[in-house]
Amino acid sequence: MKLKLARDKDLNILGISGIVDQKNYAILRAGVSQLFKTGKNKILLDMAEVEDLDPAAFMDLAQLHALAREMLGEVMVCGLSPAIRQKVAVIQPPPAIEIFASLAEALGAINDRRAPPSPAQEALDEIVNLKKRILELESASDANKLRAENASLKEQVERLQGQLVAVMLENREPNSIGDWRERHQLLEDQIADLLAQPEGGEPKKS
Amino acid sequence: MEPTARDIMSTDLLTVSSDCTLAEVLKLIVGQRVTGVPVVNAEGKMIGVCSDYDIIRQFSKAKKRPTKIFAKKIRYSKKVETVATDTPLPEIVSRFVDKKFRRLPVVDRNGKLVGIITRRDMMKVLFYQAKLGK
């Protein structure tokens, strides 16, 4: 037999699988008792995966249910196979444990019994949601700020790049096409002179 | 094994934020039949408790135009004792007895409110421990 605990608000759902016989019922009882001892006395036993159930175990569960009732709790059962349900129907003593056909049916019924949220709680929930939205919008406006800052930084970078190009052009020698042409011509003349010069001799005088 | 705050606490929490009005919190406390509600910030971190006592005190201080008080923001106790999720049961019991707390909020390592233990919860625990043995 295996036990698995899940919670749905104040409801503790104890999933049971395998065979629940006289021997291992003690494990299930200990599990339920442990929940009681931590103040959790609203318990749904999901027996959809129980292969067989000892009727004596079910009688003891009824006693645990009575104990739960003392502190306004309850022990309920769901998902019994038809064969087990038939067995239980014969022996179940009062106070009867409530039995649901399935987990979904049990959760639906238990949820319906819960007190509806008060108008104040609904209003508060709405306020909380609105505040969350405001926080979202605020963080979005932070993103907008960052975007604006980013755009301004980009502008600054472009401006500085423009300045850099201007400075480079200004400092370039020569700094006009005419001057470059003159310098080019001068270099070509120098090359021509060098080519005209005999090896080891002075350049020819024209 | 000794139960801890995590085992005992209720996780179905009613909370309010610090900018809730007196009318909102008053209606919540009366409507839900509780004696106070934890005040949390946007991150769920606990910043105080607004109790029925805080509300009555706030009313008592309003002298003129009493209807205006409903729209005012709540005043709440900012000094609140909490317990960690791994606090053992005997320590929780002594806190309730020694300091006469009505409720003990349970917080995680980051100060986030994760549950609450009320006197009613404690009574159930003690009842079943006495009935079933430790």
Side-chain angles (χ1 to χ4, degrees):
Chain A
M1 186 187 68
K2 279 184 186 169
L3 300 178
K4 196 179 167 189
L5 181 66
R7 276 187 188 153
D8 178 31
K9 294 183 182 169
D10 59 339
L11 179 70
N12 294 271
I13 306 160
L14 199 55
I16 307 153
S17 55
I19 296 169
V20 183
D21 55 20
Q22 275 191 324
K23 239 188 211 175
N24 62 19
Y25 171 69
I27 301 167
L28 173 56
R29 194 179 208 284
V32 175
S33 300
Q34 193 53 42
L35 283 172
F36 280 170
K37 285 191 259 181
T38 55
K40 317 289 184 215
N41 63 351
K42 199 170 175 186
I43 302 164
L44 175 65
L45 302 173
D46 181 7
M47 296 198 174
E49 288 176 28
V50 170
E51 293 156 29
D52 196 16
L53 176 71
D54 188 319
F58 204 86
M59 285 175 78
D60 192 68
L61 282 178
Q63 285 179 9
L64 288 175
H65 169 64
L67 188 57
R69 291 298 308 146
E70 288 190 55
M71 288 281 116
L72 301 179
E74 54 190 322
V75 176
M76 298 159 281
V77 171
C78 71
L80 288 177
S81 69
I84 297 176
R85 198 163 181 160
Q86 208 173 0
K87 241 193 225 184
V88 164
V90 177
I91 56 98
Q92 191 179 194
I97 292 186
E98 195 164 8
I99 300 172
F100 297 97
S102 64
L103 179 63
E105 189 194 294
L107 292 178
I110 293 162
N111 205 31
D112 287 346
R113 284 180 213 161
R114 284 187 180 122
S118 70
Q121 183 60 43
E122 280 176 352
L124 275 174
D125 289 344
E126 204 175 323
I127 290 165
V128 168
N129 287 335
L130 281 172
K131 278 175 190 160
K132 277 182 190 163
R133 182 78 190 119
I134 289 167
L135 282 174
E136 277 171 20
L137 288 171
E138 274 174 6
S139 54
S141 95
D142 280 350
N144 284 340
K145 256 187 217 167
L146 285 173
R147 269 187 219 115
E149 208 172 318
N150 191 28
S152 136
L153 285 171
K154 269 185 187 169
E155 263 176 37
Q156 278 185 45
V157 169
E158 276 170 20
R159 188 170 46 81
L160 288 170
Q161 277 175 341
Q163 279 179 8
L164 183 66
V165 170
V167 167
M168 281 168 71
L169 284 172
E170 222 176 86
N171 293 333
R172 192 170 64 172
E173 280 183 10
N175 60 3
S176 70
I177 292 173
D179 290 346
W180 273 108
R181 279 197 186 126
E182 208 173 286
R183 187 166 177 186
H184 182 247
Q185 191 56 53
L186 189 69
L187 284 169
E188 275 196 343
D189 288 350
Q190 280 179 8
I191 292 164
D193 284 351
L194 283 169
L195 289 172
Q197 189 182 341
E199 256 179 66
E202 288 286 312
K204 265 186 185 174
K205 282 180 185 173
S206 55
Chain B
M1 204 170 69
E2 194 74 71
T4 61
R6 186 186 284 108
D7 305 315
I8 302 163
M9 69 187 189
S10 304
T11 50
D12 197 10
L13 294 168
L14 287 175
T15 58
V16 296
S17 60
S18 59
D19 51 0
C20 279
T21 64
L22 190 70
E24 289 163 349
V25 179
L26 185 151
K27 283 179 190 168
L28 183 71
I29 287 179
V30 174
Q32 297 293 317
R33 297 179 185 186
V34 291
T35 56
V37 280
V39 184
V40 294
N41 66 11
E43 287 86 43
K45 212 169 177 178
M46 183 153 170
I47 53 172
V49 164
C50 184
S51 66
D52 44 10
Y53 169 78
D54 293 316
I55 288 179
I56 293 168
R57 194 177 56 171
Q58 198 170 342
F59 267 104
S60 73
K61 287 184 179 173
K63 286 166 191 167
K64 288 177 186 174
R65 302 172 119 185
T67 51
K68 276 203 162 184
I69 196 171
F70 290 113
K72 286 198 169 176
K73 282 184 188 177
I74 45 163
R75 286 189 186 164
Y76 57 95
S77 318
K78 290 181 180 102
K79 198 179 169 189
V80 178
E81 285 226 25
T82 57
V83 287
T85 50
D86 56 356
T87 309
L89 179 64
E91 197 183 318
I92 299 167
V93 174
S94 357
R95 294 264 202 119
F96 272 103
V97 175
D98 300 341
K99 301 197 176 175
K100 298 180 184 171
F101 291 134
R102 282 174 172 273
R103 67 199 79 76
L104 265 176
V106 185
V107 292
D108 67 9
R109 283 179 188 174
N110 304 316
K112 192 177 171 188
L113 182 72
V114 290
I116 199 155
I117 304 171
T118 61
R119 284 184 181 176
R120 190 177 292 268
D121 295 326
M122 282 313 303
M123 283 194 288
K124 277 203 282 182
V125 169
L126 298 172
F127 171 84
Y128 285 117
Q129 291 225 337
K131 278 265 182 181
L132 298 164
K134 287 183 183 178

